[in-house]
């Protein structure tokens, strides 16, 4: 607030769900609802576009913020949208357009589901790095290690490495990715 120019906060969410799946983590709906109730009482919420227009004309209220969602998960519509509507709060969804209506899911979810459903007992990230996969905790640790590695390499290296990992794990289980992402009709809704 000490800055002279207009500023605002952007809250970024991914998923809102009560599924309790540690491989596809989400914010619980009751927590999201409590956060939105607090925000509705104490902040002025605008879309990202509205806030940028207000910044250009120096008309950003002190308590301004934007609510955003990344990737375009279906629960943004089924779980988050009704809560946002109840409090009259606008939100912006940044869509991973290659996943909308295609049956595809983001690469990090592909990895998570493959680790969750594989019959393999170990994953080899390299010749000297073997990750055990016998328990759920070992699989979650392997997910953390794999994600950490894949986020530090170039896009091309990530794609190649992810393909090798998915081949080792046997890919994703059919049905696990069903209905995870929005369709184009749902985007329009």
């Amino acid at each position: 607030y000490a800055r002279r120019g207009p500023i605002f906060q952007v809250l970024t969410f991914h998923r809102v769900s009560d599924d309790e799946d540690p491989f596809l983590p989400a914010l619980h709906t009751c927590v999201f609802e409590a956060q939105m109730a607090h925000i509705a009482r104490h902040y002025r919420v605008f879309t990202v576009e509205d806030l940028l227009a207000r910044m250009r004309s120096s008309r950003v209220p002190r308590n301004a913020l934007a609510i955003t969602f990344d990737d375009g998960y279906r629960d943004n519509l089924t779980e988050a949208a009704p809560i946002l509507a109840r409090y009259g709060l606008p939100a912006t969804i940044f869509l991973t357009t290659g996943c909308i209506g295609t049956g595809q899911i983001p690469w990090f979810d592909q990895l998570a589901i493959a680790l969750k459903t594989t019959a393999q007992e170990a994953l080899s990230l390299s010749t000297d790095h073997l990750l055990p996969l016998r328990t759920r905790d070992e699989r979650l640790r392997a997910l953390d290690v794999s994600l950490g590695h894949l986020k530090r390499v170039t896009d091309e290296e990530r794609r190649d490495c992810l393909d090798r990992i998915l081949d080792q794990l046997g890919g994703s289980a059919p049905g696990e990715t069903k209905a995870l992402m929005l369709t184009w009709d749902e985007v329009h809704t």
Side-chain angles (χ1 to χ4, degrees):
Y1 290 123
R3 292 180 60 177
R4 291 195 188 276
I7 62 168
F8 59 88
Q9 297 177 46
V10 177
L11 302 181
T12 303
F13 297 93
H14 286 266
R15 298 192 62 228
V16 177
S17 172
D18 294 330
D19 287 345
E20 297 287 338
D21 186 344
F23 290 90
L24 298 170
L27 187 63
H28 281 266
T29 55
C30 63
V31 174
F32 183 73
E33 176 135 20
Q35 291 175 352
M36 295 306 107
H38 174 82
I39 287 166
R41 282 192 307 274
H42 300 288
Y43 293 89
R44 296 210 32 216
V45 180
F46 301 93
T47 64
V48 171
E49 295 85 358
D50 288 344
L51 279 170
L52 291 174
R54 286 174 170 273
M55 277 192 76
R56 287 185 203 104
S57 62
S58 296
R59 296 181 302 115
V60 177
R62 215 172 142 86
N63 60 345
L65 68 81
I67 297 169
T68 68
F69 291 86
D70 282 350
D71 301 321
Y73 290 99
R74 177 168 277 119
D75 57 43
N76 297 171
L77 175 66
T78 61
E79 305 296 329
I83 294 168
L84 292 166
R86 194 164 29 257
Y87 293 100
L89 301 174
T92 301
I93 299 180
F94 294 102
L95 300 170
T96 305
T97 55
C99 296
I100 305 302
T102 65
Q104 295 293 317
I105 60 173
W107 68 267
F108 41 87
D109 289 335
Q110 290 176 32
L111 176 62
I113 291 171
L115 281 164
K116 174 184 174 181
T117 60
T118 188
Q120 300 299 316
E121 292 191 1
L123 170 64
S124 174
L125 282 184
S126 63
T127 55
D128 61 341
H129 201 169
L130 191 66
L131 298 167
L133 302 175
R134 291 179 299 277
T135 67
R136 185 184 80 158
D137 287 343
E138 287 176 343
R139 291 168 186 244
L140 288 169
R141 179 171 165 5
L143 178 59
D144 285 342
V145 170
S146 301
L147 287 173
H149 171 71
L150 292 170
K151 288 178 180 179
R152 287 190 302 270
V153 298
T154 65
D155 283 345
E156 185 177 336
E157 291 171 313
R158 179 184 44 78
R159 282 190 292 273
D160 291 343
C161 188
L162 179 65
D163 287 343
R164 284 193 308 275
I165 291 171
L166 293 176
D167 284 344
Q168 276 186 67
L169 298 174
S172 299
E176 281 288 325
T177 62
K178 185 179 175 186
L180 189 61
M181 308 303 289
L182 291 165
T183 66
W184 282 113
D185 286 340
E186 290 167 334
V187 167
H188 293 292
T189 298

